[in-house]
Amino acid sequence: MKTTNVLFEIGLEEMPARFMDDTERQIKEKTINWLNDIRLSYETVQTFITPRRIAVLIKGLQNKQDDQVEEAKGPSEQIAVSEDGEWTKAAIGFSKGQGKSTDDIYFKEVKGTRYVYVEKFIEGQKAEALLPEFREIITSLHFPKSMRWSDQTLTFIRPIKWMLGLQDQQVIPFEIAGVKTSNVTYGHRFLGDVVTVTDPLQYERLLNEQFVIADAEKRKEMIRTGIQQLAHNQDWTITIDEKLLTEVTHLLEYPTVFYGTFDSSFLHIPKEVLITSMKEHQRYFPVENSEGELLPYFVSVRNGTDEYIDNVAKGNEKVLRARLQDSQFFYEEDQKHAIEAYTKQLDRMVFQEQLGTIADKVNRIREIAQIIADQLQLSDKEKQQIQRAAEICKFDLVTNMVDEFSELQGIMGRKYALIFGEDETVAQAIEEHYMPKHANAKLPTSVVGSVISMADKLDTIVGCFSVGIIPSGSQDPYALRRQAIGTLEILNHNQWPLNISELIENVQSIFKQRKLDASSETKVFDQLDTFFKQRTAYIMKEAKIESDIIDAVLVQPLTQFSFMMEKAKLLSNKRYDVWFKENQEAFVRVINLAAKANEEDEVNPTLFENNQEEQLYATYQKVLPDYQDALTNGDASQALDTLSVLTEPIHALFDHTMVMTEDEKLRSNRLALLKAIADTIKQFADLSLIQWKQHQGA
Amino acid sequence: MNIQEMILTLQNHWSDQECILMQAYDVEKGAGTMSPMTLLRSLGPEPWNVAYVEPSRRPADGRYGQNPNRLYQHHQFQVIMKPSPDDIQELYLESLQKLGIDPLAHDIRFVEDNWENPTLGAAGLGWEVWLDGMEITQFTYFQQIGGLEANPVSVEITYGIERLASYIQDKENVFELNWTNDVTVGDIFYQPEYEHSTYTFQESDTDMLFNLFTTYEAEANRAMEKGLVFPAYDYVLKCSHTFNLLDAKGVISVTERTSYIGRVRQLAREIAKLYVEQREQLGFPMLKGDKVGHENN
C-alpha cells in the first residue's frame, strides 16, 4: 500500500493558554474520526500546539481509499419483471441509472419480497482529493470563547494568520477567512524566520531550528527540568504547581528558565500575599528553603534563549518590586485602623439588594451562630468566641489588601485580627468560615470556625431562597449548591446531632422577623428541603451509597445528617444479608398493603379477629418507645434491630389472616394496623424502595 | 527618550498608518476607550482609524503621590483601527522598536486578557502585552460596544505611557520620569496627585456626589430623548466618573455596583443604538471614503 505524510498547521495570533490543552485534544480526536470516515488508514496522528500554532502530522496515510463494491437495491421483482418474464422499463431504468445493464441484475429477498439488485464498483478516491476537507475540521473546533476580527464572519479562538497544508511536497489547497494554505510556516516571533516545509516529517525539526518547540509536552519537560536544575544548583525548594507549569508552557514557544530576586525586606508581608503576587499576577514560581520558608527569589521562564537574560531578569525584578511595594502599602495602611473602623464600613457594602448589606448579614450570622451554639450546648467560652468571630468575620472585606486580592479574604482577616490583638481562636474562625472553598477542599478544623461557617452559609442559602434566588441548571450565582454541600460536610465531619429541618426553620424565622421572606414560608421550606436532600444525596453518592438506599432514607424530612448517613451505611451493609431479606420482605409487604388504607382510619383492637392480629399490635405497642428512643438518639443499628422484632408477628399475620377480606370494617381495621406499622418503618427509611441483593460471592 | 518624545514617536508611527491624530477628549474619564472617538466611532460599518493621548482618571488608584507606581491620573496612548488590519501585531511591535525597545533584548508576550467594560456594555478579546513581565499595553479586538455587535471589528491598542516610560528611562519612581529633559512628571503632577487623593478619599462630599450621579443620569436621559447623542454621552461619562469617585471612597458595595453599572449601561446601550441609527440615516458618510462634513458644506 502506498502511503503519504500529511501536515496541517494553523498559524494564529497568540491563543489563550487556558484553552490550548483542550484544543489540542479536540483536533486530534476530530482528525482521527475524520480519517475513519473517509476510510483512509494511517500509522500515527501527532499533534503540536504553541501559542501561535496548532498542527497535525499524519504519518503513513493511505494515499488512496480502498475500492469498494456496493449493492444497489432496485424495484421489487413484481415491478421489475413483466408477466411474460421480460424486464420492465423500471428494471431497465434502474440498471442504467446505476451505470449497469439488466445482465448485471440479481435477486435478493428482503422481508419476504424479492428485489432486484446490481453490484456497483466504486473506485477509491485519492487522498489528494479528500484532504482539503480538513478545512471543516478547523472550522468545527469549539472554543469556550471565540472572536471575530476585521470584516470576517468566522469566529475563532484568535485571528488566523497563515495556514500550512502539505501532502509530502504538495500543498493541500483550501482557504479560511481569506487565508490560503501554503507550504510556509513561521518561526519564533523574534528569533525565527519564515520556513518553507518540503517534507511533513521535517516539521518539528525545522521549527526547532527556528526556536519553536512545537510539542507542548517537550516544552513542559524543558521547563520542569530547568526549574529542578536551578533548585538543585541553588539549594532551593521549588514546588512545581502543575497548573501554573501548564499555563507557562502555553505562554511561550521556546522556554528558558531564569531567576530573579526581590528585597528581603518584603518578607515581612504575609507569605500568602507574596505568593499570590508572584503566581497569580506574574506567573512566577516562588522559592522556599528546605524549612518551607519563603526566600527572596522567584523563578520565571522566558520565551526565547538566554541571550540578554540578565536584562529580562532585571525587568521582571522591577515589575515584582512594584507589585510588592503596592502590597506593602496596603499591608501598612490596613494596620492603621482598628477592626471596628472596618466593621462600621460594612453597612455600606451591599450583600444582595433584597437581603441588605454585609452588616445586616453579619447580624444574622450572629443570631444563627447563637442558635447553633445553644443546640450544641457549647461552653460559655466557646459561645463568647463565636459571638466575637461572627461580629468581625467579614471585616477584612473592606481592607485594601482584600480589595486588591479578593482570593485572600479570610486569610488576611485572620492575620490582621491577630495583629489587632484578637483571640487566636477567633482569628482562626475568620479564615475558616470561608471553608470549604470548593469541592473536596479543607473543612474548618475548629468548633468556632465550623459554627460561623455554617451560619454564614445557611444565611446565604435560606436568604437567597427567601427572595427567590434558586439555583437552576448552570445558574447558581451565589454558589448555593457548593455552600449547602459545605454545610452538610461540616455537620458530617463534626458528627453534630443538629436537625437540618429545624435549622432551616430557625434560619427562616430570622428572615421572617426581618420581613425578608418574599414568598410563602412553607413553599420556601419545601424548596429548601428538596435542595438540601439533593445535596445530601450527592454526598451519599460520593460515599458510594447506592441510589435506591439514598431514595429510601431521604423519604423522611431531613433530620440529623450523621444519622441519615449512618442509616444509609447500615442499609448498604445489610442489603446483602439473609437476615435483612426476611425483615425487608415483611416490611415491604406491610408498606405496600398499607398504601390501600384510608388516611383517617384508626386501629380498633376490639375488631381484631385472631391471635396474630393481637400479637402484632401488642408487639408494635411494646417496641414503639424503644424505637423512638433509638431514632432520637440517632442510633440506626438500634432502630433497625427494634423494628426487626416485628418481623415474626408480621409474617404470622400474613400466614393466618386474609387482610383484604370482604368485610369492610375488618378490612379497614387491618389496613389501619398495617399503616401504623408502615409509617413507623418509614420513619427509618422506605424499605420498599430497596432492591434485594444476593450476597456477592456467597 | 522623554515622555514627550515618546508621544511624538507614537503619533508619527500611527500617523504613518493613516490614523487621524486627535486630542484628548475634555470630559473626565477612566480610560481612553471611553472617549467618543473610540466608543461611538467604533460602532457601525464606517472605517475609522484614530490615535490620541488620553489622560485617564482612576480615583481608586490615587496614592497621595506617595506610591512610586500608582497614579490618580495617568496617560494612555490610544489607537483604534477599524476594520482591524491583518498585520496589526506587527505594526504594534514596530512602534515598540521605534521607542527603542529591541525585542531580542527583552521578553515580549501577548498574554490573554479579555477586556470588558460593563458600564459601557463593551467587551473585547485580546491580550495584555508583557514586556519582561510588565503589562505595557492592552490590545483588544472589540466584539461588542454599547451592547451592539461590533461589525466590522475594531482593534484597540492602549499603551500605558508612564509604565512604558519607566522602562524606557529605567526609573523606579513614576514622579522621576522625564516629561521633557528638564521637567519631570513629579514637577507637573505631584501636587494634583496629592490633592486629588485627599479630595477623593477624605474631602469629597458623598451626598453631593450621589446627587450629581442622579442629576447627570437624568440629564443624559433627557438629552437622549431629544436625539442628542453626543451631549447625552458626555453626561454618561460624567456619571461614570462620579461613580468612580464614590467607589474609591468605598461607599458603593459590590452589589450596589451592579445596580449603578446597570443604570449607566442601559444609557450607553441606548446611546449606541441611537448613534448607529443616526449614522445610517446620514448614509454612513465615511463608508465611501468621503471626509466627514463634505456633503454638508
Side-chain angles (χ1 to χ4, degrees), chain B residues 88-136:
Chain B
I88 187 65
Q89 282 185 309
E90 286 71 28
L91 291 177
Y92 165 74
L93 291 167
E94 258 174 51
S95 76
L96 291 188
Q97 276 180 307
K98 287 184 183 165
L99 291 172
I101 297 168
D102 173 8
L104 292 175
H106 294 282
D107 188 7
I108 299 175
R109 309 260 198 107
F110 290 83
V111 179
E112 182 199 13
D113 191 30
N114 301 324
W115 168 84
E116 202 179 348
N117 185 328
T119 322
L120 300 174
L125 266 62
W127 312 275
E128 47 187 41
V129 181
W130 284 15
L131 175 65
D132 300 336
M134 176 163 64
E135 183 198 340
I136 52 165

Side-chain angles (χ1 to χ4, degrees), chain A residues 319-601:
Chain A
V319 186
L320 184 62
R321 191 156 52 237
R323 292 242 184 238
L324 298 184
Q325 274 163 354
D326 255 3
S327 301
Q328 184 164 14
F329 171 83
F330 295 145
Y331 190 54
E332 283 164 8
E333 195 62 24
D334 286 342
Q335 292 179 44
K336 287 182 184 162
H337 312 280
I339 280 194
E340 269 60 35
Y342 293 111
T343 49
K344 229 188 252 168
Q345 288 178 50
L346 294 176
D347 65 356
R348 289 171 168 172
M349 197 172 196
V350 174
F351 163 58
Q352 196 279 332
E353 226 162 317
Q354 287 153 282
L355 298 173
T357 63
I358 297 285
D360 294 329
K361 186 183 210 317
V362 166
N363 270 324
R364 296 191 302 262
I365 293 174
R366 288 174 64 178
E367 277 193 48
I368 300 167
Q370 173 88 51
I371 292 170
I372 296 173
D374 287 344
Q375 287 183 355
L376 291 173
Q377 298 173 339
L378 298 177
S379 71
D380 286 348
K381 189 177 170 212
E382 283 169 317
K383 284 182 180 170
Q384 271 168 18
Q385 288 167 331
I386 284 170
Q387 275 311 300
R388 181 60 182 163
E391 206 175 317
I392 65 172
C393 65
K394 301 288 183 190
F395 87 92
D396 64 342
L397 294 185
V398 284
T399 60
N400 289 298
M401 193 69 92
V402 176
D403 187 48
E404 178 75 7
F405 303 102
S406 59
E407 60 267 57
L408 294 180
Q409 64 179 11
I411 296 171
M412 288 320 295
R414 180 181 188 165
K415 305 254 176 219
Y416 287 146
L418 286 175
I419 291 170
F420 293 137
E422 294 293 328
D423 177 301
E424 246 174 80
T425 314
V426 171
Q428 186 182 349
I430 296 174
E431 177 173 0
E432 288 188 343
H433 96 278
Y434 289 106
M435 296 176 179
K437 286 188 178 172
H438 47 84
N440 306 317
K442 261 200 324 200
L443 296 172
T445 53
S446 72
V447 169
V448 180
S450 301
V451 171
I452 306 294
S453 174
M454 281 181 50
D456 183 24
K457 290 173 174 63
L458 285 168
D459 174 71
T460 305
I461 299 165
V462 177
C464 284
F465 271 70
S466 300
V467 298
I469 302 171
I470 296 169
S472 73
S474 60
Q475 290 294 320
D476 186 7
Y478 289 85
L480 301 183
R481 293 188 183 109
R482 182 173 57 73
Q483 303 212 39
I485 289 172
T487 308
L488 296 173
E489 281 176 343
I490 292 169
L491 280 173
N492 191 34
H493 176 76
N494 291 296
Q495 292 288 304
W496 278 342
L498 295 174
N499 183 308
I500 299 168
S501 298
E502 269 174 45
L503 262 183
I504 295 174
E505 277 171 348
N506 287 331
V507 179
Q508 267 194 294
S509 70
I510 289 173
F511 283 93
K512 200 183 165 195
Q513 278 164 26
R514 291 166 166 78
K515 302 198 171 18
L516 288 173
D517 48 342
S519 10
S520 98
E521 215 178 324
T522 42
K523 192 179 138 211
V524 172
F525 179 83
D526 290 346
Q527 286 168 333
L528 283 163
D529 182 68
T530 310
F531 181 70
F532 271 97
K533 274 182 179 165
Q534 285 163 346
R535 309 283 87 73
T536 306
Y538 171 84
I539 296 177
M540 286 182 171
K541 219 171 237 163
E542 292 282 284
K544 303 269 180 280
I545 310 261
E546 287 167 282
S547 55
D548 55 343
I549 290 186
I550 297 177
D551 291 343
V553 171
L554 292 185
V555 161
Q556 285 302 311
L558 290 161
T559 52
Q560 299 162 13
F561 187 85
S562 51
F563 183 40
M564 295 189 291
M565 200 67 180
E566 208 195 312
K567 285 198 276 191
K569 282 185 177 157
L570 180 71
L571 290 171
S572 298
N573 287 332
K574 294 278 183 204
R575 72 179 310 157
Y576 299 108
D577 234 67
V578 181
W579 172 86
F580 179 66
K581 185 187 180 200
E582 269 177 35
N583 289 299
Q584 196 214 1
E585 275 173 358
F587 297 156
V588 170
R589 280 181 84 176
V590 173
I591 292 169
N592 288 344
L593 263 178
K596 298 187 160 84
N598 287 324
E599 263 320 303
E600 330 59 82
D601 287 347

Side-chain angles (χ1 to χ4, degrees), chain A residues 13 301 318 321 326 350, chain B residues 70 109 141 171 253 255:
Chain A
E13 295 184 358
V301 193
K318 186 179 154 84
R321 191 156 52 237
D326 255 3
V350 174
Chain B
R70 289 218 190 195
R109 309 260 198 107
Y141 289 95
K171 297 257 167 70
S253 77
T255 347

Side-chain angles (χ1 to χ4, degrees), chain A residues 32-223:
Chain A
I32 289 171
N33 290 342
W34 169 63
L35 293 175
N36 291 337
D37 284 350
I38 60 172
R39 298 189 292 109
L40 289 177
S41 67
Y42 57 88
E43 278 165 34
T44 57
V45 170
Q46 191 181 354
T47 52
F48 303 89
I49 196 158
T50 80
R52 294 179 73 213
R53 67 199 79 229
I54 312 166
V56 180
L57 173 63
I58 307 162
K59 281 191 207 165
L61 184 73
Q62 191 180 1
N63 76 357
K64 185 172 164 288
Q65 287 175 327
D66 287 338
D67 299 334
Q68 268 186 317
V69 174
E70 207 175 70
E71 278 192 328
K73 183 182 166 201
S76 67
E77 186 176 23
Q78 210 182 349
I79 292 170
V81 183
S82 68
E83 278 172 25
D84 45 13
E86 296 295 322
W87 293 114
T88 62
K89 273 187 185 164
I92 296 165
F94 162 70
S95 57
K96 253 193 189 162
Q98 299 295 330
K100 297 275 166 175
S101 78
T102 46
D103 294 348
D104 301 312
I105 287 179
Y106 58 93
F107 291 96
K108 257 173 93 172
E109 206 176 283
V110 181
K111 288 179 187 161
T113 313
R114 277 160 62 86
Y115 288 91
V116 303
Y117 277 85
V118 292
E119 257 184 6
K120 263 180 19 181
F121 173 79
I122 300 170
E123 195 181 345
Q125 277 183 283
K126 284 187 173 167
E128 193 185 322
L130 297 164
L131 289 171
E133 286 179 17
F134 192 78
R135 187 190 184 281
E136 272 62 55
I137 304 287
I138 299 174
T139 54
S140 73
L141 288 172
H142 176 264
F143 309 105
K145 262 183 193 292
S146 48
M147 60 171 282
R148 289 173 299 106
W149 62 95
S150 194
D151 46 11
Q152 300 296 332
T153 48
L154 179 79
T155 62
F156 210 65
I157 187 162
R158 281 292 181 272
I160 299 178
K161 297 289 294 214
W162 75 84
M163 281 192 301
L164 185 150
L166 205 59
Q167 180 187 5
D168 299 329
Q169 297 97 328
Q170 201 80 32
V171 171
I172 302 164
F174 57 91
E175 182 180 333
I176 297 174
V179 180
K180 289 192 172 79
T181 49
S182 74
N183 58 355
V184 163
T185 183
Y186 296 79
H188 186 278
R189 195 183 263 291
F190 305 115
L191 300 166
D193 276 323
V194 182
V195 199
T196 305
V197 185
T198 51
D199 174 5
L201 299 181
Q202 299 302 313
Y203 174 73
E204 198 176 354
R205 185 184 61 78
L206 286 171
L207 279 182
N208 212 331
E209 288 169 7
Q210 301 304 325
F211 303 97
V212 173
I213 309 295
D215 184 323
E217 267 319 300
K218 284 184 188 160
R219 282 201 310 283
K220 190 185 265 186
E221 288 322 303
M222 281 170 78
I223 299 171

Side-chain angles (χ1 to χ4, degrees), chain A residues 610 653-662 666-667 670:
Chain A
N610 61 27
L653 177 89
F654 286 129
D655 288 347
H656 296 94
T657 320
M658 173 80 168
V659 177
M660 298 306 283
T661 173
E662 296 283 312
L666 289 181
R667 189 173 72 220
R670 281 171 193 162

